[in-house]
Coordinates of all heavy atoms in Angstrom, one line a residue:
E1 N -24.1 5.3 4.5 CA -22.9 4.6 5.0 C -21.9 4.5 3.8 O -20.9 3.8 4.0 CB -23.3 3.2 5.5 CG -24.1 3.3 6.8 CD -24.6 1.9 7.2 OE1 -24.2 0.9 6.5 OE2 -25.3 1.8 8.3
K2 N -22.2 5.0 2.7 CA -21.4 5.0 1.5 C -21.0 3.6 1.0 O -20.0 3.4 0.4 CB -20.1 5.8 1.8 CG -20.3 7.3 2.1 CD -19.0 8.0 2.3 CE -19.3 9.5 2.5 NZ -18.1 10.3 2.7
K3 N -22.0 2.7 1.2 CA -21.8 1.3 0.7 C -22.4 1.2 -0.7 O -21.9 0.3 -1.4 CB -22.5 0.4 1.6 CG -21.9 0.2 3.0 CD -22.6 -0.8 3.9 CE -21.9 -0.9 5.2 NZ -22.5 -1.9 6.1
I4 N -23.3 2.1 -1.1 CA -23.7 2.2 -2.5 C -23.8 3.6 -2.9 O -23.9 4.5 -2.0 CB -25.1 1.5 -2.7 CG1 -26.2 2.2 -1.9 CG2 -25.0 0.0 -2.3 CD1 -27.6 1.7 -2.2
K5 N -23.8 3.9 -4.2 CA -24.0 5.3 -4.6 C -25.4 5.7 -4.7 O -26.3 4.8 -5.0 CB -23.3 5.4 -6.0 CG -21.8 5.2 -6.1 CD -21.3 5.3 -7.5 CE -19.8 5.1 -7.5 NZ -19.2 5.2 -8.9
K6 N -25.7 6.9 -4.5 CA -27.0 7.4 -4.6 C -27.4 7.5 -6.1 O -26.7 8.0 -6.9 CB -27.1 8.9 -4.0 CG -28.5 9.4 -4.0 CD -28.6 10.8 -3.3 CE -30.0 11.3 -3.3 NZ -30.1 12.6 -2.6
Q7 N -28.5 6.9 -6.4 CA -29.0 6.8 -7.8 C -30.0 7.9 -8.1 O -30.7 8.4 -7.2 CB -29.5 5.4 -8.1 CG -30.8 5.1 -7.4 CD -31.4 3.8 -7.7 OE1 -30.6 2.8 -7.9 NE2 -32.7 3.6 -7.8
E8 N -30.1 8.2 -9.4 CA -31.1 9.2 -9.8 C -32.5 8.5 -9.7 O -32.6 7.3 -9.9 CB -30.8 9.6 -11.3 CG -29.6 10.4 -11.5 CD -29.6 11.8 -10.8 OE1 -30.8 12.3 -10.8 OE2 -28.6 12.2 -10.4
P9 N -33.5 9.3 -9.2 CA -34.8 8.7 -9.1 C -35.3 8.2 -10.4 O -35.2 8.8 -11.5 CB -35.7 9.9 -8.6 CG -34.7 10.9 -8.1 CD -33.4 10.7 -8.8
L10 N -35.8 7.0 -10.4 CA -36.4 6.3 -11.6 C -37.8 6.8 -11.9 O -38.5 7.1 -10.9 CB -36.3 4.8 -11.5 CG -34.9 4.2 -11.4 CD1 -35.0 2.7 -11.0 CD2 -34.1 4.4 -12.7
A11 N -38.2 6.9 -13.1 CA -39.5 7.4 -13.5 C -40.6 6.5 -12.9 O -40.4 5.3 -12.8 CB -39.6 7.5 -15.0
E12 N -41.7 7.1 -12.5 CA -42.8 6.4 -12.0 C -43.4 5.5 -13.2 O -43.3 5.9 -14.3 CB -43.9 7.4 -11.5 CG -43.5 8.2 -10.3 CD -43.5 7.3 -9.0 OE1 -44.3 6.3 -9.0 OE2 -42.7 7.6 -8.1
I13 N -44.0 4.4 -12.8 CA -44.6 3.5 -13.8 C -46.0 4.1 -14.2 O -46.9 4.3 -13.3 CB -44.8 2.1 -13.2 CG1 -43.5 1.5 -12.7 CG2 -45.4 1.2 -14.2 CD1 -43.6 0.2 -12.0
A14 N -46.1 4.4 -15.5 CA -47.4 5.0 -16.0 C -48.4 3.9 -16.0 O -48.1 2.7 -16.1 CB -47.1 5.6 -17.4
E15 N -49.7 4.3 -16.0 CA -50.8 3.4 -16.0 C -50.8 2.5 -17.2 O -51.1 1.3 -17.2 CB -52.1 4.1 -15.8 CG -52.4 4.7 -14.4 CD -52.5 3.6 -13.4 OE1 -53.1 2.5 -13.7 OE2 -51.9 3.8 -12.3
D16 N -50.5 3.1 -18.4 CA -50.5 2.3 -19.6 C -49.3 1.4 -19.7 O -49.2 0.6 -20.6 CB -50.5 3.3 -20.8 CG -49.3 4.2 -20.9 OD1 -48.5 4.2 -20.0 OD2 -49.2 4.9 -21.9
E17 N -48.3 1.5 -18.7 CA -47.2 0.5 -18.7 C -47.5 -0.7 -17.8 O -46.7 -1.7 -17.8 CB -46.0 1.2 -18.2 CG -45.4 2.3 -19.1 CD -44.1 2.9 -18.5 OE1 -44.2 3.4 -17.4 OE2 -43.1 3.0 -19.2
K18 N -48.6 -0.7 -17.1 CA -49.0 -1.8 -16.3 C -49.8 -2.8 -17.1 O -51.0 -2.5 -17.4 CB -49.8 -1.3 -15.1 CG -49.0 -0.3 -14.2 CD -49.8 0.3 -13.1 CE -49.1 1.3 -12.3 NZ -49.9 2.0 -11.2
P19 N -49.3 -3.9 -17.4 CA -49.9 -4.8 -18.4 C -51.1 -5.6 -17.8 O -51.8 -6.2 -18.6 CB -48.7 -5.8 -18.8 CG -47.8 -5.8 -17.6 CD -47.9 -4.4 -17.0
F20 N -51.2 -5.7 -16.5 CA -52.3 -6.5 -16.0 C -52.7 -6.0 -14.6 O -51.9 -5.3 -14.0 CB -52.0 -8.0 -16.0 CG -50.7 -8.4 -15.3 CD1 -50.7 -8.6 -13.9 CD2 -49.6 -8.6 -16.0 CE1 -49.5 -8.9 -13.3 CE2 -48.4 -8.9 -15.4 CZ -48.3 -9.1 -14.1
E21 N -53.9 -6.4 -14.1 CA -54.3 -6.0 -12.8 C -53.7 -6.8 -11.7 O -53.6 -8.1 -11.9 CB -55.8 -6.0 -12.7 CG -56.4 -5.5 -11.4 CD -57.9 -5.5 -11.4 OE1 -58.5 -5.7 -12.5 OE2 -58.5 -5.3 -10.4
L22 N -53.2 -6.2 -10.7 CA -52.5 -6.9 -9.6 C -53.5 -7.5 -8.6 O -54.5 -6.9 -8.3 CB -51.5 -6.0 -8.9 CG -50.3 -5.5 -9.7 CD1 -49.5 -4.6 -8.8 CD2 -49.5 -6.7 -10.2
P23 N -53.1 -8.7 -8.0 CA -53.9 -9.2 -6.9 C -53.8 -8.2 -5.7 O -52.9 -7.4 -5.6 CB -53.2 -10.5 -6.6 CG -52.4 -10.8 -7.8 CD -52.0 -9.5 -8.4
K24 N -54.7 -8.3 -4.8 CA -54.7 -7.5 -3.6 C -53.4 -7.8 -2.8 O -53.0 -8.9 -2.6 CB -55.9 -7.8 -2.7 CG -56.1 -6.9 -1.5 CD -57.3 -7.2 -0.8 CE -57.5 -6.2 0.4 NZ -58.7 -6.5 1.2
G25 N -52.8 -6.7 -2.3 CA -51.5 -6.8 -1.5 C -50.3 -6.7 -2.4 O -49.2 -6.6 -1.8
W26 N -50.4 -6.7 -3.7 CA -49.2 -6.6 -4.6 C -49.0 -5.2 -5.0 O -49.9 -4.3 -4.9 CB -49.4 -7.5 -5.9 CG -49.4 -9.0 -5.7 CD1 -50.1 -9.7 -4.7 CD2 -48.7 -9.9 -6.5 NE1 -49.8 -11.0 -4.9 CE2 -49.0 -11.2 -6.0 CE3 -47.9 -9.8 -7.6 CZ2 -48.4 -12.3 -6.5 CZ3 -47.3 -10.9 -8.2 CH2 -47.6 -12.2 -7.6
E27 N -47.8 -4.9 -5.4 CA -47.4 -3.5 -5.9 C -46.5 -3.6 -7.1 O -45.7 -4.5 -7.2 CB -46.7 -2.8 -4.8 CG -47.5 -2.4 -3.5 CD -48.6 -1.4 -3.8 OE1 -48.4 -0.6 -4.7 OE2 -49.5 -1.3 -3.0
W28 N -46.7 -2.6 -8.0 CA -45.8 -2.4 -9.1 C -44.6 -1.6 -8.7 O -44.7 -0.7 -7.9 CB -46.5 -1.7 -10.3 CG -47.5 -2.4 -11.0 CD1 -48.8 -2.3 -11.1 CD2 -47.2 -3.5 -11.9 NE1 -49.4 -3.2 -11.9 CE2 -48.5 -4.0 -12.4 CE3 -46.1 -4.2 -12.3 CZ2 -48.6 -5.0 -13.3 CZ3 -46.2 -5.2 -13.2 CH2 -47.4 -5.7 -13.7
Q29 N -43.4 -2.1 -9.1 CA -42.2 -1.3 -8.9 C -41.1 -1.7 -9.9 O -41.2 -2.8 -10.5 CB -41.7 -1.6 -7.5 CG -40.5 -0.7 -7.0 CD -40.8 0.7 -7.2 OE1 -40.5 1.3 -8.2 NE2 -41.3 1.4 -6.1
V30 N -40.2 -0.8 -10.2 CA -39.1 -1.1 -11.1 C -38.0 -1.9 -10.4 O -37.8 -1.6 -9.2 CB -38.6 0.1 -11.9 CG1 -39.7 0.7 -12.8 CG2 -38.1 1.2 -10.9
L31 N -37.3 -2.7 -11.2 CA -36.3 -3.5 -10.6 C -35.2 -2.7 -9.9 O -34.7 -3.1 -8.8 CB -35.7 -4.4 -11.6 CG -34.6 -5.5 -11.2 CD1 -35.2 -6.5 -10.2 CD2 -34.0 -6.2 -12.4
G32 N -34.8 -1.6 -10.5 CA -33.8 -0.7 -9.9 C -34.1 -0.2 -8.5 O -33.2 0.2 -7.8
N33 N -35.4 -0.1 -8.2 CA -35.8 0.4 -6.9 C -36.0 -0.7 -5.9 O -36.1 -0.5 -4.7 CB -37.2 1.1 -7.0 CG -37.0 2.5 -7.6 OD1 -35.9 3.1 -7.6 ND2 -38.1 3.1 -8.1
L34 N -36.0 -2.0 -6.4 CA -36.1 -3.1 -5.5 C -34.7 -3.7 -5.1 O -34.6 -4.3 -4.0 CB -36.9 -4.2 -6.2 CG -38.4 -3.9 -6.5 CD1 -39.0 -5.1 -7.2 CD2 -39.2 -3.7 -5.2
C35 N -33.8 -3.6 -6.0 CA -32.5 -4.2 -5.8 C -31.3 -3.2 -6.1 O -31.6 -2.2 -6.6 CB -32.3 -5.4 -6.7 SG -33.7 -6.6 -6.6
V36 N -30.1 -3.7 -5.7 CA -28.9 -2.9 -6.1 C -28.3 -3.6 -7.3 O -28.1 -4.9 -7.3 CB -27.9 -2.9 -4.9 CG1 -26.6 -2.2 -5.4 CG2 -28.5 -2.1 -3.7
L37 N -28.1 -2.9 -8.4 CA -27.4 -3.5 -9.6 C -26.0 -3.0 -9.6 O -25.7 -1.8 -9.5 CB -28.2 -3.0 -10.8 CG -29.7 -3.3 -10.9 CD1 -30.3 -2.9 -12.2 CD2 -30.0 -4.8 -10.6
E38 N -25.1 -3.9 -9.8 CA -23.6 -3.6 -9.8 C -22.9 -4.2 -11.0 O -22.9 -5.4 -11.1 CB -23.0 -4.0 -8.5 CG -21.5 -3.7 -8.4 CD -20.9 -4.1 -7.0 OE1 -21.7 -4.1 -6.0 OE2 -19.7 -4.4 -7.0
N39 N -22.3 -3.4 -11.8 CA -21.5 -3.9 -13.0 C -20.2 -4.4 -12.5 O -19.7 -4.1 -11.4 CB -21.3 -2.7 -14.0 CG -22.5 -2.5 -14.8 OD1 -23.1 -3.4 -15.4 ND2 -22.9 -1.2 -14.9
G40 N -19.5 -5.1 -13.4 CA -18.1 -5.5 -13.1 C -17.2 -4.3 -13.2 O -17.5 -3.3 -13.8
D41 N -16.0 -4.5 -12.7 CA -15.0 -3.4 -12.8 C -14.5 -3.4 -14.3 O -13.9 -4.3 -14.8 CB -13.8 -3.7 -11.9 CG -12.8 -2.6 -11.8 OD1 -12.8 -1.8 -12.7 OD2 -12.1 -2.5 -10.8
R42 N -14.7 -2.2 -15.0 CA -14.3 -2.1 -16.4 C -13.1 -1.2 -16.5 O -12.8 -0.7 -17.6 CB -15.5 -1.6 -17.2 CG -16.7 -2.6 -17.1 CD -17.9 -2.1 -17.8 NE -19.0 -3.0 -17.7 CZ -20.2 -2.8 -18.2 NH1 -20.5 -1.6 -18.8 NH2 -21.2 -3.7 -18.1
S43 N -12.4 -1.0 -15.5 CA -11.2 -0.1 -15.5 C -10.0 -0.9 -15.9 O -10.1 -2.1 -16.4 CB -10.9 0.5 -14.1 OG -10.5 -0.5 -13.2
K44 N -8.8 -0.3 -15.8 CA -7.6 -1.0 -16.1 C -7.3 -2.3 -15.3 O -6.5 -3.1 -15.6 CB -6.4 -0.1 -16.0 CG -6.1 0.4 -14.6 CD -5.0 1.4 -14.5 CE -4.7 1.9 -13.1 NZ -3.6 2.8 -13.0

């Protein structure tokens, strides 16, 4: 719907980047895949 820009796929989380074991039903994910991040207007 062109409400957000298509973003480049973010790298998968490597096993050695997971600092602890998750409870059942939880999942690891990066913030950029969970939410939309929007900067302020930095133009003129």
Side-chain angles (χ1 to χ4, degrees):
E1 295 175 359
K2 297 183 178 180
K3 292 183 178 179
I4 63 172
K5 294 180 180 179
K6 185 177 181 180
Q7 66 180 37
E8 293 295 325
L10 296 170
E12 294 287 332
I13 302 172
E15 285 301 318
D16 60 356
E17 292 181 307
K18 301 174 182 178
F20 52 86
E21 187 176 347
L22 292 179
K24 187 177 181 180
W26 289 48
E27 292 288 339
W28 286 111
Q29 188 52 273
V30 292
L31 184 62
N33 285 340
L34 294 175
C35 307
V36 174
L37 305 182
E38 182 178 331
N39 283 309
D41 189 336
R42 299 174 182 177
S43 69
K44 63 180 181 180

